mmCIF file of all heavy atoms in Angstrom:
data_model
loop_
_atom_site.group_PDB
_atom_site.id
_atom_site.type_symbol
_atom_site.label_atom_id
_atom_site.label_comp_id
_atom_site.label_asym_id
_atom_site.label_seq_id
_atom_site.Cartn_x
_atom_site.Cartn_y
_atom_site.Cartn_z
ATOM 1 N N ASP A 321 -20.526 -13.631 -2.490
ATOM 2 C CA ASP A 321 -20.817 -15.046 -2.734
ATOM 3 C C ASP A 321 -21.598 -15.570 -1.527
ATOM 4 O O ASP A 321 -21.026 -15.832 -0.468
ATOM 5 C CB ASP A 321 -19.496 -15.806 -2.910
ATOM 6 C CG ASP A 321 -19.685 -17.302 -3.114
ATOM 7 O OD1 ASP A 321 -20.833 -17.788 -3.020
ATOM 8 O OD2 ASP A 321 -18.676 -17.990 -3.338
ATOM 9 N N VAL A 322 -22.908 -15.725 -1.680
ATOM 10 C CA VAL A 322 -23.743 -16.121 -0.553
ATOM 11 C C VAL A 322 -23.410 -17.526 -0.067
ATOM 12 O O VAL A 322 -23.509 -17.817 1.141
ATOM 13 C CB VAL A 322 -25.242 -16.002 -0.927
ATOM 14 C CG1 VAL A 322 -25.637 -17.016 -1.994
ATOM 15 C CG2 VAL A 322 -26.124 -16.125 0.312
ATOM 16 N N LEU A 323 -22.990 -18.400 -0.970
ATOM 17 C CA LEU A 323 -22.651 -19.774 -0.573
ATOM 18 C C LEU A 323 -21.389 -19.795 0.277
ATOM 19 O O LEU A 323 -21.316 -20.498 1.294
ATOM 20 C CB LEU A 323 -22.475 -20.663 -1.804
ATOM 21 C CG LEU A 323 -23.657 -20.740 -2.779
ATOM 22 C CD1 LEU A 323 -23.388 -21.776 -3.871
ATOM 23 C CD2 LEU A 323 -24.944 -21.080 -2.033
ATOM 24 N N ALA A 324 -20.386 -19.034 -0.135
ATOM 25 C CA ALA A 324 -19.135 -18.993 0.617
ATOM 26 C C ALA A 324 -19.349 -18.362 1.984
ATOM 27 O O ALA A 324 -18.805 -18.830 2.989
ATOM 28 C CB ALA A 324 -18.076 -18.223 -0.171
ATOM 29 N N CYS A 325 -20.144 -17.289 2.054
ATOM 30 C CA CYS A 325 -20.418 -16.640 3.337
ATOM 31 C C CYS A 325 -21.149 -17.589 4.279
ATOM 32 O O CYS A 325 -20.873 -17.615 5.486
ATOM 33 C CB CYS A 325 -21.242 -15.371 3.122
ATOM 34 S SG CYS A 325 -20.322 -14.029 2.333
ATOM 35 N N LEU A 326 -22.055 -18.370 3.739
ATOM 36 C CA LEU A 326 -22.775 -19.355 4.539
ATOM 37 C C LEU A 326 -21.828 -20.431 5.055
ATOM 38 O O LEU A 326 -21.827 -20.764 6.244
ATOM 39 C CB LEU A 326 -23.891 -19.985 3.698
ATOM 40 C CG LEU A 326 -24.668 -21.156 4.318
ATOM 41 C CD1 LEU A 326 -25.326 -20.733 5.627
ATOM 42 C CD2 LEU A 326 -25.718 -21.675 3.346
ATOM 43 N N ALA A 327 -20.985 -20.965 4.168
ATOM 44 C CA ALA A 327 -20.083 -22.051 4.554
ATOM 45 C C ALA A 327 -19.053 -21.605 5.588
ATOM 46 O O ALA A 327 -18.797 -22.295 6.576
ATOM 47 C CB ALA A 327 -19.382 -22.595 3.312
ATOM 48 N N VAL A 328 -18.460 -20.447 5.363
ATOM 49 C CA VAL A 328 -17.415 -19.959 6.272
ATOM 50 C C VAL A 328 -17.999 -19.610 7.638
ATOM 51 O O VAL A 328 -17.427 -19.955 8.682
ATOM 52 C CB VAL A 328 -16.693 -18.744 5.656
ATOM 53 C CG1 VAL A 328 -15.797 -18.080 6.690
ATOM 54 C CG2 VAL A 328 -15.867 -19.178 4.454
ATOM 55 N N THR A 329 -19.137 -18.934 7.644
ATOM 56 C CA THR A 329 -19.750 -18.563 8.925
ATOM 57 C C THR A 329 -20.211 -19.795 9.685
ATOM 58 O O THR A 329 -20.057 -19.877 10.912
ATOM 59 C CB THR A 329 -20.944 -17.618 8.707
ATOM 60 O OG1 THR A 329 -20.536 -16.516 7.900
ATOM 61 C CG2 THR A 329 -21.474 -17.103 10.024
ATOM 62 N N ARG A 330 -20.748 -20.761 8.971
ATOM 63 C CA ARG A 330 -21.177 -22.002 9.622
ATOM 64 C C ARG A 330 -19.993 -22.696 10.284
ATOM 65 O O ARG A 330 -20.095 -23.179 11.425
ATOM 66 C CB ARG A 330 -21.834 -22.923 8.593
ATOM 67 C CG ARG A 330 -22.361 -24.225 9.164
ATOM 68 C CD ARG A 330 -23.035 -25.056 8.075
ATOM 69 N NE ARG A 330 -24.302 -24.465 7.666
ATOM 70 C CZ ARG A 330 -25.042 -24.942 6.661
ATOM 71 N NH1 ARG A 330 -24.608 -25.976 5.956
ATOM 72 N NH2 ARG A 330 -26.203 -24.377 6.363
ATOM 73 N N ALA A 331 -18.861 -22.735 9.599
ATOM 74 C CA ALA A 331 -17.659 -23.349 10.171
ATOM 75 C C ALA A 331 -17.164 -22.559 11.385
ATOM 76 O O ALA A 331 -16.712 -23.134 12.383
ATOM 77 C CB ALA A 331 -16.566 -23.436 9.113
ATOM 78 N N ALA A 332 -17.249 -21.228 11.294
ATOM 79 C CA ALA A 332 -16.763 -20.377 12.384
ATOM 80 C C ALA A 332 -17.607 -20.533 13.643
ATOM 81 O O ALA A 332 -17.065 -20.624 14.759
ATOM 82 C CB ALA A 332 -16.743 -18.917 11.938
ATOM 83 N N VAL A 333 -18.942 -20.572 13.499
ATOM 84 C CA VAL A 333 -19.793 -20.705 14.685
ATOM 85 C C VAL A 333 -19.695 -22.109 15.276
ATOM 86 O O VAL A 333 -19.767 -22.286 16.492
ATOM 87 C CB VAL A 333 -21.265 -20.335 14.376
ATOM 88 C CG1 VAL A 333 -21.395 -18.855 14.072
ATOM 89 C CG2 VAL A 333 -21.820 -21.166 13.238
ATOM 90 N N GLU A 334 -19.511 -23.120 14.422
ATOM 91 C CA GLU A 334 -19.316 -24.480 14.936
ATOM 92 C C GLU A 334 -18.023 -24.564 15.725
ATOM 93 O O GLU A 334 -17.951 -25.217 16.770
ATOM 94 C CB GLU A 334 -19.311 -25.491 13.781
ATOM 95 C CG GLU A 334 -20.681 -25.816 13.226
ATOM 96 C CD GLU A 334 -21.604 -26.418 14.278
ATOM 97 O OE1 GLU A 334 -21.113 -27.176 15.140
ATOM 98 O OE2 GLU A 334 -22.809 -26.121 14.246
ATOM 99 N N ARG A 335 -17.002 -23.905 15.228
ATOM 100 C CA ARG A 335 -15.719 -23.858 15.929
ATOM 101 C C ARG A 335 -15.900 -23.209 17.303
ATOM 102 O O ARG A 335 -15.353 -23.680 18.299
ATOM 103 C CB ARG A 335 -14.722 -23.061 15.076
ATOM 104 C CG ARG A 335 -13.333 -22.945 15.639
ATOM 105 C CD ARG A 335 -12.452 -22.110 14.725
ATOM 106 N NE ARG A 335 -11.122 -21.983 15.317
ATOM 107 C CZ ARG A 335 -10.818 -21.121 16.292
ATOM 108 N NH1 ARG A 335 -11.760 -20.306 16.742
ATOM 109 N NH2 ARG A 335 -9.604 -21.082 16.794
ATOM 110 N N ALA A 336 -16.670 -22.126 17.353
ATOM 111 C CA ALA A 336 -16.918 -21.444 18.619
ATOM 112 C C ALA A 336 -17.692 -22.338 19.579
ATOM 113 O O ALA A 336 -17.373 -22.411 20.778
ATOM 114 C CB ALA A 336 -17.683 -20.152 18.362
#
Side-chain angles (χ1 to χ4, degrees):
D321 178 355
V322 67
L323 304 186
C325 290
L326 174 59
V328 169
T329 308
R330 182 178 289 175
V333 292
E334 283 300 324
R335 181 181 178 280

